Amino acid sequence: MSVQQQQQTQQQQPQQAVQAVPTGQQEKTAVTGAQAAGGAGAMASAKSKPKSRSTCWLLQRRQLNNICIVFAELIATAMLMFLGCMGCIQNSFFTNGHFQCALNFGFVVLICIQCFGCVCGAHLNPAVTLANYIYNMISLPMAVAYFFAQMLGAFIGYGLLKAIMPDSAIYSTDTPSGVCVTSVHSSLTGLQGVVIEFLITSALIAICCGVWDPRNAKFQDSVGVRFGLAISCLSLTAGQFTGASMNPARSFAPALWNGAWENHWIYWVGPMAGALVSSLIYKYAFRREVEELEEQESTMSTKRTAEQEFA
C-alpha cells in the first residue's frame, strides 16, 4: 500500500468512529451539554443579580443615620435647657447669683458636647447651625432638620423643668417673668440689646469657625472644654445686660412657656445676624485649606533653597 493510501485510511477511521456512536447517546450528550451551559448561565445571572435592599425609605442606612443625628441634637438641646435653667433658679430658698448661672451654663454646654458631639456635633443653637451651613459643613435639608430639633428640644427641656419644679422656683421676686427668661436691662434700649447680642454671638461663632478650620483638625480633644469656658466667659461679660442668650432656641422656649415676649425679637435678630456676618468673614478672610498651606510652604522652601544656592 502506498504512503498516500495509508494517510487517507487514517483520516477516515476517526470519522467512522464518530458515526459509530449511537444517535440516542449523541442526543443525551447534547442535552447534558445544554443543561450544563444553562446551569452556568443561571449561576452567572444569579451572581450578576443585585442583592435585594429594603424598599422602605426610613429603613435605609443613610436615613437611619440622619434620624439618629437629628434625635441626638434634640436630646442635647433639651439637656441644655433643663440643666442650664435649673442652675439659674433663684428665690428665698435657693440662693444663686450671676457668676453661678454663667458658670453653670458653661459646664452644661461642656456636658452636652461631650455626650453628643461625636453624634451630631451638638450645635444646640440655630445660630451655630447657620454658621455650620455657611461653612459648607452641612446641607440645607439637614440644617432645617437641626433647627426644628433644637426648637422642639428646647421646648421639651424647659417644659420638663416646669413640670418638676414648684412654681415658687420658676417665679420669684428675682425672676418675675419666669426663670431663664431673657430680657434687656431697663437702662438699655432695644438697639443696644441687639448690638450686644450681635457682638457676643459673633465672638462665639468665631470660636466655632476656628474649631472647624482644617488647620485645627488634629486638635479636637478639648473642644467641649473650650466651648464651655467660652460660654461662661461671654455669659459673665454680657449676662447682666441682655442675659447673654446667643441662642434663639434658648430664649424661645422660656418665652413660649411663660408668655413673656417683650423684646423677644432681639434674641433672634442679634444672634442670627452675628452668626451670618462672623461666619462669612472667617470663611473668606481667614480659612485656609491644608493643601494650600502645604503648597505655600513648599514654594517658600524652594525659594529659600534657591537663594542659598545663589548666595
Side-chain angles (χ1 to χ4, degrees):
M1 185 181 294
S2 62
V3 177
Q4 294 180 354
Q5 291 176 350
Q6 290 179 357
Q7 292 178 353
Q8 291 176 358
T9 302
Q10 291 176 358
Q11 292 176 358
Q12 290 175 359
Q13 286 177 356
Q15 295 177 359
Q16 292 175 358
V18 173
Q19 293 175 358
V21 177
T23 305
Q25 188 174 352
Q26 291 179 1
E27 293 177 353
K28 290 180 180 179
T29 306
V31 171
T32 305
Q35 291 177 350
M43 292 175 62
S45 62
K47 291 180 180 179
S48 62
K49 185 179 180 181
K51 296 181 180 179
S52 61
R53 295 182 179 178
S54 175
T55 57
C56 181
W57 177 81
L58 290 175
L59 296 180
Q60 294 180 2
R61 183 177 182 85
R62 181 178 180 183
Q63 304 305 331
L64 287 174
N65 289 339
N66 290 339
I67 292 172
C68 176
I69 290 171
V70 174
F71 186 59
E73 185 70 15
L74 186 150
I75 296 176
T77 311
M79 183 184 296
L80 171 71
M81 292 304 300
F82 179 75
L83 297 178
C85 292
M86 181 181 285
C88 294
I89 292 176
Q90 182 178 2
N91 57 21
S92 58
F93 299 100
F94 307 105
T95 58
N96 205 335
H98 173 60
F99 179 80
Q100 181 177 336
C101 292
L103 198 63
N104 170 71
F105 254 105
F107 286 156
V108 171
V109 169
L110 187 155
I111 291 173
C112 294
I113 293 176
Q114 189 65 34
C115 292
F116 298 102
C118 60
V119 181
C120 60
H123 294 181
L124 313 173
N125 185 345
V128 175
T129 300
L130 175 61
N132 199 258
Y133 171 71
I134 294 174
Y135 222 62
N136 298 328
M137 297 184 66
I138 190 174
S139 64
L140 180 59
M142 282 300 293
V144 174
Y146 266 65
F147 172 78
F148 284 105
Q150 290 157 359
M151 303 306 291
L152 181 59
F155 179 81
I156 294 173
Y158 193 85
L160 183 62
L161 178 67
K162 287 201 69 174
I164 292 176
M165 302 303 296
D167 288 342
S168 61
I170 303 298
Y171 305 101
S172 66
T173 55
D174 297 309
T175 56
S177 300
V179 66
C180 253
V181 174
T182 50
S183 60
V184 180
H185 194 270
S186 57
S187 62
L188 299 177
T189 64
L191 180 59
Q192 290 173 325
V194 169
V195 173
I196 291 173
E197 285 292 323
F198 174 87
L199 293 175
I200 61 177
T201 307
S202 297
L204 174 64
I205 298 304
I207 297 171
C208 294
C209 293
V211 171
W212 299 333
D213 195 294
R215 292 167 290 188
N216 258 337
K218 298 179 180 179
F219 309 102
Q220 300 292 326
D221 294 339
S222 59
V223 170
V225 177
R226 299 179 210 173
F227 277 107
L229 293 177
I231 293 295
S232 295
C233 173
L234 294 171
S235 298
L236 286 170
T237 302
Q240 294 180 336
F241 304 108
T242 63
S245 174
M246 301 173 281
N247 185 344
R250 176 251 181 277
S251 294
F252 174 78
L256 182 62
W257 275 103
N258 298 294
W261 300 104
E262 185 179 1
N263 291 325
H264 182 69
W265 62 274
I266 292 174
Y267 302 101
W268 284 89
V269 176
M272 298 304 281
L276 178 65
V277 173
S278 183
S279 59
L280 286 173
I281 292 176
Y282 198 102
K283 178 181 178 181
Y284 293 106
F286 304 116
R287 176 175 176 173
R288 295 293 183 274
E289 298 296 335
V290 177
E291 296 179 356
E292 295 178 0
L293 292 175
E294 292 178 351
E295 291 179 359
Q296 293 176 1
E297 290 177 358
S298 63
T299 303
M300 292 298 296
S301 63
T302 303
K303 288 182 179 179
R304 286 193 294 267
T305 303
E307 291 174 356
Q308 290 175 359
E309 291 178 354
F310 181 76

